[in-house]
Structures are given as structure tokens and as C-alpha cells.
Amino acid sequence: MKFFIDTAEISEIRELAETGLVDGITTNPSLIKQSGRDFIEVITEICGVISGPVSAEVIATDTAGMLSEGRRLAAIASNVTVKLPLTWDGLKACRTFADEGIATNVTLCFSANQALLAAKAGASFISPFIGRLDDLGVDGMELIHKIRTIYDNYGFETEILAASIRSSAHVEACALAGADVATIPPQVLKSLSRHTLTDKGLASFLTDWETTGQSI
Ligand code: E4P
């Protein structure tokens, strides 16, 4: 499973990129707002650090507007993926971009039928939002399982990009369900490395080593 980082904070992206764990980045208008920076400037900077796909989302809600904004975003760098909302107009823009060879991430997916439409429209990625479904008391992971089955049934090449991830349990469940990508907030990615038995074991190894009086 590929790891994308769900942030527009360049300092976090630089730090995490050093681990070699980052396969791409996703942003959305709310994350751009949080960064407090100019949209085009921040996407340009991220693309200079990360060579994998970098999702940049359109704001227009009509197909013509999405095509115009998407082309501007795609011109920033060859690894920009144009993020489009899962609406009728978004699907039409998705088909045009697919025909033009421009990568797309169809976002705000909350049902298996929406994911089926996005795949048929030629989306490069589909972004089902797990956490936001969980917030409503609906099992978000169930949606990942359904999309995996549908895409495998028909050989769709659209990659399942599990989004709205809130916990390490979500990451593990996505990997077990066969999501192609998980887009993970930085603090959740860091939490994946932690285990109390790792900390406890390391402390006891270091204590024992100190009593040997040796050095390496
Ligand atoms: C990523 O592409 C999504 O925009 C993001 O994961 C949404 O996460 P949230 O539901 O925590 O805002």
C-alpha cells in the first residue's frame, strides 16, 4: 500500500520525506486554508520536494470551470493530480482529463456506486472518505471493501485512495482491505511506529547494556 500524506504543510512534508515513506501528497481547500499560504505557491513547492502524485483540488463546480482550473493546476508540474469533486460535472471533467492524459483524483466519495462511476469516467484515483462516514455511525471501511470487490470484478485500474483517515487502526484496516493508497495525516503516520513494548524493550536493553561497561 502506498502512503500519501494528507497535508499542505511544507515543513511536515520535508521531514516525512526524509524517511522514504512518502509516495505522494493530498491537499484540499481546507488544508490550504490551514497552511495560510498561497495555493499555487504551496503546490509548486510541494512538487519540488515530492516526485510522486500531488493532489490539488479545483474550486469550480461546473465542468468548464473545473477544466480551466484543472489545466492551470496540471501545468504547475508533471506530478500534479487534479482533484475533482464526485459530482456529475466532476465526472464529465474527469473523462475529459482522462482522454487528455491528465491524472485525476475524484474526491468526496461516500458510496460504491459513486466509485463505480468515477472508474468508468477514467479516474486515476478514487478517494472514499472513511472517517467522515464513521462520524455518521456508518462503517467507513465497509466502503473500501465494496469498492475493492467492484474494481476487481471488472478489472478497473482506478486506484483506491483511502481518505479521511483518523487512526492507526484505519491504516491497518485499509492495508488488509487492499486499498492501493492511504492518505494519512502526519501525526497518524508517526503513530504507526509506536508500541509500548518497543519502548519498554529498548529501555531494558539499554539498562542491561550500561551494566556491561562496553561501548561500540
Ligand atoms: C484527502 O484527500 C481528503 O481531503 C482528506 O483525507 C479529508 O480528511 P478529513 O475528513 O479528516 O477532513
Side-chain angles (χ1 to χ4, degrees):
M1 184 169 71
K2 287 176 235 174
F3 282 175
F4 287 4
I5 309 300
D6 204 19
T7 185
E9 294 295 339
I10 193 72
S11 55
E12 288 178 325
I13 292 170
R14 282 187 203 283
E15 187 209 334
L16 293 170
E18 283 172 15
T19 63
L21 293 170
V22 182
D23 300 303
I25 300 291
T26 51
T27 66
N28 63 37
S30 304
L31 292 171
I32 296 296
K33 181 188 171 190
Q34 272 174 38
S35 78
R37 296 195 48 200
D38 177 79
F39 181 32
I40 303 295
E41 206 177 277
V42 83
I43 295 295
T44 306
E45 205 170 330
I46 294 171
C47 289
V49 176
I50 300 292
S51 57
V54 174
S55 288
E57 189 160 343
V58 299
I59 302 303
T61 54
D62 63 299
T63 305
M66 289 181 196
L67 291 174
S68 158
E69 291 178 3
R71 288 194 180 106
R72 182 163 179 224
L73 296 172
I76 293 174
S78 58
N79 56 329
V80 165
T81 295
V82 178
K83 210 173 177 190
L84 302 163
L86 211 159
T87 59
W88 204 248
D89 281 71
L91 291 169
K92 288 195 277 183
C94 179
R95 169 44 60 198
T96 300
F97 283 135
D99 292 344
E100 291 177 3
I102 292 175
T104 53
N105 173 0
V106 178
T107 189
L108 291 165
C109 170
F110 293 95
S111 78
N113 278 333
Q114 286 182 315
L116 178 56
L117 289 175
K120 288 183 73 70
S124 314
F125 298 97
I126 180 71
S127 286
F129 278 34
I130 303 169
R132 293 192 194 189
L133 282 170
D134 286 356
D135 290 345
L136 296 179
V138 178
D139 181 5
M141 279 313 303
E142 186 59 30
L143 177 58
I144 304 292
H145 285 285
K146 282 183 182 174
I147 300 172
R148 181 74 282 156
T149 301
I150 290 169
Y151 283 11
D152 288 350
N153 280 351
Y154 299 102
F156 286 121
E157 288 180 5
T158 300
E159 293 191 54
I160 302 172
L161 196 174
S164 190
I165 283 179
R166 306 271 169 81
S167 66
S168 56
H170 273 157
V171 177
E172 183 178 307
C174 284
L176 287 168
D180 299 289
V181 189
T183 188
I184 310 173
Q187 71 279 10
V188 174
L189 179 67
K190 286 183 179 171
S191 79
L192 301 183
S193 70
R194 290 186 215 119
H195 197 288
T196 48
L197 290 179
T198 304
D199 297 341
K200 207 172 152 193
L202 182 59
S204 102
F205 285 158
L206 292 178
T207 303
D208 287 344
W209 177 256
E210 212 173 295
T211 64
T212 71
Q214 298 180 53
S215 61
I216 301 173

